[in-house]
Each structure stands twice: as structure tokens, then as C-alpha cells.
Amino acid sequence: MKRTPVVFIHGVWLHARCWESWVARFTGMGFLALAPGWPGEAPTAPDMRASPEPLGRVGLDALIEHYAGIVRSFDVAPVIVGHSVGGLIAQHLVAADVGRAAVAIAPAPINDVPLPASPGRLPPPGRCGPAEEELVPLSREQFHQVFAGTLEAEESGRLYDRYAVPAPRRLLADLGCAGAPRSPRAVADVGNAGRGPLLLISGQEDRLVPDEATRAVYKQYGDTTAVTDLKQFPDRGHSLVVDRGWRFVADYVLGWLDEHGIRAHAPQG
């Protein structure tokens, strides 16, 4: 009997290693869990901070195609779990019938849901050329303020050292930051009744993707008969997938998958 794959997609300002605890937890429960990095991503966050230039070429189109190829490569349709822009990609893919189910955690908004203010420093809308390949880092203080605002400075600093990387300016522009025109790929077909189950998760103290933005996305799915659920975690910020409370979120996802008949081993035939 084949194991059900789970593909984890990280978001901006984090390295793929941010999913290491989730991969271990899901693997221990019998899933085939993996967290492939973005195109050009170095093996660790310190490596990426030391030589971040490859990230500057990454935009939303490249990320969607990258992960669509990975998800389609399995014999068994995977579950897609994404955080931040990874949550947007997870919704985009499952709505296009790529993947068996999706979990979008503090997802970057889809469709016409307004994007909250971002700490990223972006060029004025319409600027192009070399600036598109620039990178937008977060300082240790900015990371604590906007990304890990519910944590003590010590824990935030440890997370920063292990997981924080610069964000591609091109990708932030694709998401509509600083008034830039949002990419036409920053969408999901909310009316697809034939797609797999979708779970939206928010942290109610999230300063980067506020709970209200995730609730607005959830409302967009109101007319579909496809399974769409929302879980709000009180007192949690944008760091909810990596901070000391990650296990509560991961175990909720495992329980939700089980409720919808998605088990670690795919049925035969």
C-alpha cells in the first residue's frame, strides 16, 4: 500500500527547513512528507543569507509551476500544505485539481481580497528592470515585530537565525505589495465544486496576514459545495508554523485530514 504524499510549501522570509518538525511529525504518522525548497534555494537559511542572489529571480509564476510539477510527479495525489504565499499556491493548485487536498496557513490573499500593509520595501508600481531582482530582507527587529510578534525576543531570535531569508522583491510585487499590480496568477477558482477538501488556518494575532484577511478568503468559497473549512488559532501570529506551538497546528491538520478520509496510506485500486 502506497503512502500518501504531503508536500509542504513555505512562504516569504522563511527557508524550506521551517517545515522540519512538520515533516518529522507527518512521517512519524506514516505519510510520505517532504518540503522542497524554492528554485535556487540553498540548503540552509544561513547559506541563503550569505548568497541570496538566486532568490531575486523568483516570482509567483515560477513558484506555481515549480510546485505544480512536484505535486504532479507522484503516483498518489498529494496533500498540499502551504504557509503565507505557500498557502496561496496550495489554493491555486487544488482549485485547478492538482493535488488531493490543501491546507492554507495564514495564506497570502487570493483574488480581490485586499492585501494588508507589508513591511517589505518595494519600488513604486510600474518600475521594472534590474530592481525586479533585488531582495527585501527583514532585520531581526522587523522579524520579531511583524512575523513573530506573539513571541519573546529570545525565541524570535532563534527562529530568525535558523529560518529567516530575504524575500524576492519580484514576488512581493506579484502579491500586490506597496500598491504594485497583483499577478493574474494570485488567484484560485473558488467555485470549483469538484476540487479536494480545503482547510484555511489563521492566527488571530497575525500582523502580516491578519485573521480578517483569511476570513475574507473563506467567505469567497461560500457558494461552493466543495469542503472548505476555517480554523482560527487565538493568540498566534504569523510564526505559528515554526514557533513553540507548531505541534498544536500540525496535529489539528492531521485530525482534519483524518476526518475527511485522507489517511497515511492510500487505498488500493
Side-chain angles (χ1 to χ4, degrees), residues 5 12 68 84-85 126 134 140 153 162 164-165 176-177 192 200 226 242 244 246:
V12 293
S84 185
V85 68
E134 293 176 3
R140 186 181 294 266
R162 187 161 182 81
V165 299
C177 293
N192 180 4
L200 300 168
V242 290
R244 61 185 179 275
W246 71 268

Side-chain angles (χ1 to χ4, degrees), residues 187-214:
V187 297
D189 180 4
V190 295
N192 180 4
R195 61 159 169 81
L198 169 65
L199 171 63
L200 300 168
I201 293 177
S202 68
Q204 291 186 305
E205 299 299 323
D206 194 331
R207 299 175 183 174
L208 200 57
V209 181
D211 173 65
E212 64 187 56
T214 304

Side-chain angles (χ1 to χ4, degrees), residues 131-151:
E132 290 185 338
E133 294 187 4
E134 293 176 3
L135 294 156
V136 180
L138 288 182
S139 68
R140 186 181 294 266
E141 293 74 21
Q142 287 174 314
F143 184 87
H144 187 205
Q145 179 184 9
V146 303
F147 205 99
T150 62
L151 309 181

Side-chain angles (χ1 to χ4, degrees), residues 18-68:
C18 70
W19 293 112
E20 58 188 343
S21 296
W22 288 68
V23 168
R25 178 67 174 148
F26 276 67
T27 299
M29 297 299 291
F31 289 92
L32 177 61
L34 66 160
W38 292 3
E41 190 167 323
T44 70
D47 291 337
M48 198 76 257
R49 291 195 296 267
S51 300
E53 293 79 13
L55 281 183
R57 296 185 287 273
V58 175
L60 187 58
D61 278 357
L63 283 181
I64 289 175
E65 295 307 318
H66 176 68
Y67 285 105

Side-chain angles (χ1 to χ4, degrees), residues 104-128:
I105 305 172
I110 59 167
N111 302 343
D112 59 352
V113 174
L115 189 76
S118 167
R121 301 179 302 278
L122 290 177
R127 179 173 168 182
C128 58

